[in-house]
Amino acid sequence: METTTDEEREAKIVELEAAAASEIEYVSYGGEHHLPLIMNLVDQELSEPYSIFTYRYFVYLWPQLSFLAFHKGKCVGTVVCKMGEHRNTFRGYIAMLVVLKPYRGRGIATELVTRSIKVMMESGCEEVTLEAEVTNKGALALYGRLGFIRAKRLFRYYLNGVDAFRLKLLFPRPELHSPQLTRATGDESGWHKDSRQTEENPFLL
Amino acid sequence: MAEKVGVEGDRDVKVPNLNPSSITSGEQTVWADVSPLLESACKDLQDGELVHGENFNLFAAMSALEIMDPKMDSGIVCRYYSVDEAIENGAAPVPLSFDKTIDVQCTIDIMDHLLACEATWHKGHSLAQTVYSCIYLQRPDRTSSHALLHSYCRVIRATCNSVVSVVSETRTHEEEDLFTMAYGLPLKGDGDEKNLSMLHAVEETISRQLRACKAPSSKKRLVEDVEPLQTNLDLEEGYCKSLLCRLRFRKHFYHVLTCMRRPQGRGLELARKHIASCLLELDSILKSAEFLGSNNACETSLDGIEGRTTASGRQPIGFDSTLNNRLAAPTPPRAIKILSWKKAVEYFQKLLHDLDIICSYSLDPLFEGVLRFVVEFQKFQPDLVARAHLQLLLLQEGKLYGRDPVFAMICKAAVLPEVTKSHDIQKNESVVQLVQLVISLLRILCTNAAWQRRKLGKIVQDWRVIYLQLELAFRKEFGEISSTSIDENVCIKISKHILNWVEEQTYWIASRFLMLGFELELYSPCEYCMVYWYIYVVLIKLAEKTHLKMLTSNEIAKRKGKKKRESLKDAARDYQIPPVVLLLQCQIYLAEGLTMMLAALRNEHKVFQSLGPFNTEHERFIQHFEFLQRACIPDHVSYLSFKESTNHARLSTIVVYNCFKDAQRIAKELRSSFSNDRDRMVELRQIEQVAEHNGVALNLVCRLGTLDPSLKVYFEFSHHPYFATAVVKRS
């Protein structure tokens, strides 16, 4: 039997990863057929239980902020977000970010979340926020690299009793920009028949 | 498409099975069958659509439940529909067994599991799903024939009740609101107030049984009338002892809580005695595990030794954690992992130690002393129950320790002339507000670190505002007094002293706000530079105000107690800076040293930089110091001034003007001034260590940095909770 050294094995893994990374395909949320994929991923990987209403709330109002990552036809990661007025600031919010365990460490999450943040920035958001478990070192490092600060600690925030950090990314004030940027709210979405969606409550549990 | 039926608002939607004819239609209403309407409406709906009210928002979406999803549906039936059904099914028999030995074993298991539940509750889970998962507690009357179990359940209820009331009174549980929610659970059984006398009677009986079984056979006859606890005489001593320590622990613990509630800290001394007894009994409880474990026929439980919730390792009878799931609204059922029995005992040991610190406090009448005590106490990271008791002691009826009026305390702290205490100034609206702010500050300092920091960030602005208001108020009030008045001198003094004191507190709050960020791990290494810089500028202001205050107090002391010649002699000493200010100076040097070291590393070695694709360091600065910047704390400080003072930092320069050396030197000199103050001696030693390590690291990086590119610098908090120690390593 052939034996491989650690170095060779490592080199092989790197090679495979590089190949895999290039094979990842990113898609913006495209409709009902994507919903079960997102729900499956989140259900598997996140501790919080979400009802179907929560998923639809996000993907119907802000389909442009949700992305999916596919590897050879299999959905391996997703990001779900929203944006809206919050205490006089127009703010983006990253609600869920999931990448399947075997696919982590290849920049898929960074790519997913970067795509969402870009759309938020172009839509006139002043800042982006989210919560992450204090024990989730991977996520904290990822958001740190993107420029998020840990604005506060939320004591026993999650149902499982773990503290959270509220992370915030402040965009530079666009001094030369016109403030009348197109603000994509969810008004034109198809979810709400004959009713306007008013964004009043912040995303709080 | 079941998911299309939204459940809004009231989640407890009841569908009454009423005969329509039983409710008569009103004048303008008639009964009609809506089925056809609903059917046609269903055909109109496309996949993914929802009929909902205008107020259906994210909160409503998040609150919606999916029926029969075990992650969300807390109403899902697990084993029993109700407590009564559980009892009917024999889930909580009384007695636990007709075999007296087994009955005693099982009772001890219940006691142990209840202790684990109680600790889990204190740690932030709901009462309903922890302590009250015990079916015996739910029906107080059922246990009356079982004196041992009955008395134990009573003292548990009374204890829970006492803890709930302290926490609700002090409201230290801001984010831990689950704690006090009792959901109509029977927290008070009839006669629970007599719990101690009952407990005492049971304890007496078991003590006699223990004496009887230990008595040598010659004396046996004398005590023969005592019926043994159970039937296996070889185990009699072990069971008696195991029960006694458990009962006595409950008794003393209840006493601790009662004593600590006495007004003006009058019960603290007695509470300490009970705390000591509690700790002794806990030791005995721990020791009893050996005996109880060895008599466990079915050996290891599924959870393994570490996870078990009883000393014996058996599963207790009479608990069902799913029974109260429905009481846990408005959240989905929380997955509760009851602490292990060992962890529970450890929790109570910690709690008792924390309470002991409170009880041994000298009720310092000086405000600074109070602040320092609370800050030192918080270093032990006390849990909710201990923090609630601290606040209960500090503030009763709006007075410090329920004893000293807050205004009098301010007068003393701000070194105001004696006349101020009775001066009309305390009726001034702004002064009344200041008193309220002081009370709020003390309250905030008793909350958990995360909440505390957020509240400090807000209250620091209120302190800034009150400063401006007071300034105006004094000008108005004292301006009216004619300049020839004798009062004038006093008034000017009062206003100057109060204003200086308010500023001092404001900077103290700001520094605590900044430093708590380290404890909460809010800063990343690339932000340390700006954080230390901010700490540096705030501490300078704080030292300035403290120094000014102390100069005034020296002046007063001098005038009071000394003759002219003596005061001349002391002139030299008067110029010395007070030790408290020098201690601040040490911290200032450390903060400055760290700022410059980090800035130089960044400027020359391109490390600890914050580079992100979306923003710059400027945005990080705005976000971290938003609260302070908004309140102009300190004045004229901005990102620009931070950049100006750090942009030119070079290792070669800062190594010559080495702040760490200064910090170390002053810290050494200060030792003699604080030799009687344990906390400050600890602080001094920590400062010395940080200063020494960083001084060495700085030299090393400066000498080798450019020669050896593999040299890596990182920071850790191995010597001081807020001031980082630099570690240099070859990668």
Side-chain angles (χ1 to χ4, degrees):
Chain A
M1 229 172 108
E2 214 179 319
T3 49
T4 46
T5 65
D6 278 355
E7 269 171 40
E8 280 170 344
R9 208 174 294 134
E10 224 165 74
K12 211 166 224 175
I13 290 171
V14 172
E15 213 171 90
L16 279 172
E17 278 180 358
S22 63
E23 285 168 25
I24 302 290
E25 195 192 339
Y26 298 91
V27 208
S28 181
Y29 179 78
E32 273 295 309
H33 63 289
H34 277 155
L35 195 56
L37 301 175
I38 295 178
M39 287 171 63
N40 269 338
L41 276 182
V42 175
D43 240 21
Q44 272 176 58
E45 302 287 338
L46 298 188
S47 65
E48 299 286 290
Y50 296 110
S51 75
I52 180 99
F53 297 107
T54 309
Y55 292 105
R56 288 223 166 99
Y57 176 84
F58 287 111
V59 297
Y60 273 73
L61 288 171
W62 302 277
Q64 76 278 25
L65 297 181
S66 291
F67 292 91
L68 296 90
F70 288 90
H71 178 248
K72 293 182 178 160
K74 181 184 169 194
C75 182
V76 297
T78 186
V79 64
V80 175
C81 309
K82 69 171 219 158
M83 58 190 171
E85 209 61 54
H86 174 85
R87 289 188 190 154
N88 297 325
T89 47
F90 194 62
R91 154 199 270 204
Y93 178 82
I94 298 165
M96 309 165 197
L97 172 65
V98 181
V99 172
L100 284 179
K101 250 199 194 106
Y103 292 86
R104 287 183 199 166
R106 313 178 182 185
I108 298 174
T110 306
E111 179 61 30
L112 282 168
V113 95
T114 303
R115 284 176 186 238
S116 297
I117 295 173
K118 272 186 186 152
V119 179
M120 290 174 188
M121 195 154 83
E122 285 156 11
S123 313
C125 282
E126 292 149 74
E127 59 179 19
V128 184
T129 73
L130 70 125
E131 291 90 34
E133 288 187 22
V134 294
T135 48
N136 192 347
K137 300 285 174 224
L140 294 174
L142 183 158
Y143 290 114
R145 283 194 299 273
L146 292 175
F148 282 82
I149 69 142
R150 300 172 192 182
K152 43 176 110 153
R153 193 176 176 118
L154 306 161
F155 190 66
R156 292 196 189 123
Y157 181 78
Y158 291 101
L159 295 184
N160 62 15
V162 175
D163 287 5
F165 284 124
R166 162 118 348 110
L167 304 180
K168 274 191 185 179
L169 172 79
L170 182 70
F171 291 128
R173 302 246 155 88
E175 270 116 5
L176 299 171
H177 264 249
S178 147
Q180 259 82 40
L181 277 169
T182 43
R183 287 183 168 182
T185 54
D187 288 353
E188 303 104 61
S189 80
W191 191 29
H192 298 268
K193 257 198 163 178
D194 305 318
S195 83
R196 277 168 300 127
Q197 171 63 29
T198 44
E199 223 340 272
E200 280 163 337
N201 286 30
F203 182 55
L204 283 176
L205 258 179
Chain B
M1 283 190 274
E3 70 264 22
K4 282 182 182 155
V5 184
V7 184
E8 284 192 45
D10 188 1
R11 105 193 12 256
D12 209 14
V13 180
K14 285 184 184 140
V15 185
N17 190 10
L18 294 170
N19 182 359
S21 61
S22 69
I23 301 174
T24 49
S25 24
E27 259 173 49
Q28 290 172 345
T29 53
V30 283
W31 284 102
D33 186 0
V34 293
S35 313
L37 181 71
L38 282 177
E39 243 165 69
S40 67
C42 281
K43 280 178 203 143
D44 261 4
L45 278 173
Q46 297 303 307
D47 207 11
E49 289 176 356
L50 173 83
V51 181
H52 62 85
E54 272 204 39
N55 58 351
F56 189 83
N57 52 20
L58 179 57
F59 188 71
M62 296 282 297
S63 312
L65 298 175
E66 275 175 58
I67 305 299
M68 298 311 284
D69 179 333
K71 262 179 157 181
M72 278 182 251
D73 185 358
S74 53
I76 209 166
V77 172
C78 296
R79 206 171 337 158
Y80 305 114
Y81 282 101
S82 67
V83 175
D84 291 325
E85 195 194 301
I87 291 170
E88 271 167 39
N89 273 279
V94 182
L96 292 121
S97 166
F98 289 104
D99 179 324
K100 280 204 122 189
T101 308
I102 295 179
D103 188 69
V104 167
Q105 278 179 354
C106 292
T107 310
I108 294 175
D109 290 340
I110 292 177
M111 293 173 168
D112 288 348
H113 190 76
L114 272 174
L115 189 81
C117 286
E118 198 181 355
T120 311
W121 170 49
H122 285 197
K123 281 283 191 182
H125 291 289
S126 83
L127 192 59
Q129 282 181 282
T130 54
V131 180
Y132 276 80
S133 65
C134 177
I135 298 168
Y136 294 106
L137 282 178
Q138 302 252 12
R139 295 285 179 274
D141 299 332
R142 278 189 70 244
T143 46
S144 55
S145 61
H146 196 298
L148 182 57
L149 185 59
H150 195 55
S151 61
Y152 198 84
C153 286
R154 271 203 165 153
V155 74
I156 290 275
R157 273 195 300 270
T159 304
C160 290
N161 199 30
S162 172
V163 169
V164 166
S165 68
V166 169
V167 174
S168 333
E169 265 170 50
T170 52
R171 297 189 309 256
T172 24
H173 57 296
E174 325 290 358
E175 282 168 307
E176 301 159 78
D177 55 354
L178 264 175
F179 189 87
T180 50
M181 289 187 188
Y183 309 106
L185 293 167
L187 229 64
K188 273 184 189 161
D190 275 340
D192 278 354
E193 63 284 351
K194 285 180 288 183
N195 75 81
L196 281 181
S197 55
M198 246 196 111
L199 199 67
H200 188 70
V202 174
E203 187 196 329
E204 259 313 288
T205 312
I206 299 174
S207 309
R208 250 184 281 133
Q209 287 164 331
L210 177 64
R211 273 200 300 276
C213 79
K214 280 171 85 177
S217 48
S218 57
K219 285 187 186 168
K220 270 249 152 91
R221 216 167 297 146
L222 285 171
V223 284
E224 235 165 30
D225 58 322
V226 178
E227 195 191 332
L229 176 69
Q230 42 82 56
T231 45
N232 189 340
L233 292 180
D234 292 338
L235 305 176
E236 178 79 355
E237 186 182 342
Y239 281 128
C240 283
K241 281 183 170 170
S242 303
L243 279 175
L244 278 175
C245 55
R246 282 164 173 78
L247 294 172
R248 285 175 182 154
F249 168 73
R250 297 298 353 171
K251 179 180 75 180
H252 289 300
F253 188 60
Y254 187 73
H255 274 306
V256 170
L257 298 176
T258 323
C259 290
M260 290 191 76
R261 293 197 65 157
R262 289 212 196 135
Q264 307 189 4
R266 284 195 200 115
L268 296 187
E269 212 172 304
L270 190 56
R272 285 197 81 184
K273 285 185 186 148
H274 287 296
I275 288 173
S277 307
C278 275
L279 287 166
L280 279 178
E281 300 302 341
L282 278 177
D283 283 342
S284 307
I285 291 176
L286 276 177
K287 278 185 203 132
S288 72
E290 201 183 323
F291 165 76
L292 294 169
S294 65
N295 286 304
N296 183 3
C298 48
E299 274 308 316
T300 44
S301 70
L302 281 175
D303 293 334
I305 295 167
E306 286 312 310
R308 63 197 196 180
T309 59
T310 57
S312 68
R314 272 186 305 265
Q315 290 288 329
I317 295 177
F319 289 84
D320 187 337
S321 59
T322 62
L323 262 182
N324 289 322
N325 262 357
R326 268 154 286 182
L327 294 178
T331 53
R334 291 182 176 231
I336 288 199
K337 176 113 179 63
I338 299 289
L339 286 179
S340 73
W341 175 74
K342 266 232 169 82
K343 284 257 152 53
V345 174
E346 281 164 19
Y347 166 77
F348 274 98
Q349 286 173 330
K350 159 97 167 86
L351 171 64
L352 288 160
H353 282 298
D354 290 343
L355 293 178
D356 195 51
I357 297 173
I358 299 173
C359 291
S360 51
Y361 175 51
S362 62
L363 306 197
D364 195 337
L366 292 176
F367 185 65
E368 284 164 32
V370 183
L371 290 190
R372 278 187 47 220
F373 174 72
V374 180
V375 169
E376 285 298 323
F377 179 68
Q378 288 275 21
K379 279 188 188 159
F380 298 100
Q381 303 190 321
D383 285 299
L384 173 61
V385 176
R387 282 187 279 106
H389 281 88
L390 172 65
Q391 200 207 294
L392 187 76
L393 172 67
L394 293 185
L395 292 165
Q396 290 166 16
E397 292 160 5
K399 289 179 183 167
L400 184 69
Y401 317 121
R403 191 183 67 190
D404 312 338
V406 174
F407 182 69
M409 179 182 76
I410 296 174
C411 289
K412 211 172 220 172
V415 219
L416 292 176
E418 198 59 23
V419 289
T420 326
K421 275 183 207 164
S422 48
H423 200 280
D424 267 354
I425 188 81
Q426 59 183 307
K427 292 184 194 135
N428 182 291
E429 200 186 321
S430 300
V431 176
V432 172
Q433 277 178 29
L434 176 65
V435 167
Q436 285 311 311
L437 268 187
V438 170
I439 292 174
S440 304
L441 177 61
L442 286 178
R443 281 231 166 89
I444 290 170
L445 291 174
C446 293
T447 60
N448 72 57
W451 182 267
Q452 191 186 137
R453 185 174 193 270
R454 260 142 70 197
K455 289 286 154 185
L456 287 178
K458 295 202 172 128
I459 205 180
V460 81
Q461 301 182 56
D462 299 339
W463 277 81
R464 197 57 168 182
V465 172
I466 201 74
Y467 175 83
L468 300 172
Q469 282 177 355
L470 283 166
E471 206 178 24
L472 268 175
F474 289 148
R475 205 175 297 156
K476 215 169 124 197
E477 194 144 317
F478 300 149
E480 284 161 12
I481 301 168
S482 75
S483 55
T484 50
S485 161
I486 322 156
D487 257 4
E488 186 206 36
N489 203 10
V490 174
C491 293
I492 289 175
K493 224 165 233 158
I494 292 175
S495 93
K496 255 172 65 183
H497 290 193
I498 290 190
L499 288 175
N500 181 63
W501 184 77
V502 168
E503 278 198 293
E504 187 194 2
Q505 302 324 303
T506 312
Y507 291 121
W508 184 86
I509 297 168
S511 69
R512 175 118 183 106
F513 171 82
L514 290 168
M515 287 166 181
L516 272 177
F518 285 108
E519 191 179 316
L520 297 168
E521 298 169 84
L522 294 180
Y523 309 129
S524 78
C526 65
E527 294 156 359
Y528 287 171
C529 186
M530 59 166 111
V531 174
Y532 284 120
W533 180 79
Y534 221 111
I535 288 179
Y536 164 73
V537 291
V538 166
L539 285 181
I540 286 180
K541 285 295 201 180
L542 176 60
E544 200 181 293
K545 302 294 161 192
T546 309
H547 197 179
L548 191 60
K549 180 186 75 184
M550 302 198 81
L551 281 177
T552 348
S553 81
N554 278 352
E555 238 170 69
I556 291 171
K558 203 168 61 188
R559 226 177 303 133
K560 260 189 191 168
K562 282 169 192 164
K563 290 176 198 159
K564 239 186 186 169
R565 201 179 300 157
E566 276 176 338
S567 85
L568 270 176
K569 247 192 237 163
D570 283 346
R573 210 201 295 157
D574 284 347
Y575 280 102
Q576 278 180 2
I577 302 170
V580 180
V581 179
L582 281 174
L583 182 57
L584 282 171
Q585 186 60 53
C586 275
Q587 297 177 331
I588 291 170
Y589 276 131
L590 275 193
E592 187 185 1
L594 280 162
T595 307
M596 289 322 213
M597 187 174 180
L598 282 153
L601 283 169
R602 170 191 298 200
N603 293 340
E604 291 176 82
H605 291 251
K606 307 288 166 220
V607 285
F608 301 111
Q609 287 174 309
S610 25
L611 306 162
F614 296 108
N615 62 8
T616 65
E617 189 184 37
H618 192 171
E619 279 74 35
R620 286 178 184 236
F621 186 95
I622 295 173
Q623 285 176 285
H624 269 307
F625 311 120
E626 190 188 356
F627 288 122
L628 304 179
Q629 289 276 291
R630 230 189 275 158
C632 301
I633 300 171
D635 274 324
H636 314 302
V637 149
S638 67
Y639 179 68
L640 262 177
S641 41
F642 161 63
K643 283 319 269 181
E644 273 167 17
S645 47
T646 53
N647 253 352
H648 306 293
R650 290 283 176 275
L651 286 165
S652 51
T653 7
I654 58 174
V655 104
V656 178
Y657 176 67
N658 191 331
C659 299
F660 297 123
K661 274 188 192 148
D662 291 318
Q664 204 181 342
R665 177 179 50 80
I666 302 176
K668 267 206 184 96
E669 288 167 8
L670 272 177
R671 277 190 212 155
S672 57
S673 313
F674 291 121
S675 52
N676 293 324
D677 189 333
R678 216 189 55 203
D679 296 336
R680 275 176 168 145
M681 285 302 273
V682 171
E683 172 75 16
L684 280 176
R685 206 180 53 240
Q686 291 177 337
I687 289 177
E688 263 183 68
Q689 283 171 333
V690 174
E692 189 182 348
H693 277 87
N694 286 349
V696 172
L698 184 60
N699 271 319
L700 202 66
V701 178
C702 191
R703 273 189 291 119
L704 301 174
T706 38
L707 302 170
D708 189 348
S710 70
L711 224 50
K712 274 238 158 82
V713 185
Y714 56 95
F715 288 85
E716 50 182 39
F717 296 89
S718 42
H719 295 110
H720 193 284
Y722 316 132
F723 291 113
T725 308
V727 181
V728 187
K729 273 204 175 134
R730 258 192 197 97
S731 57

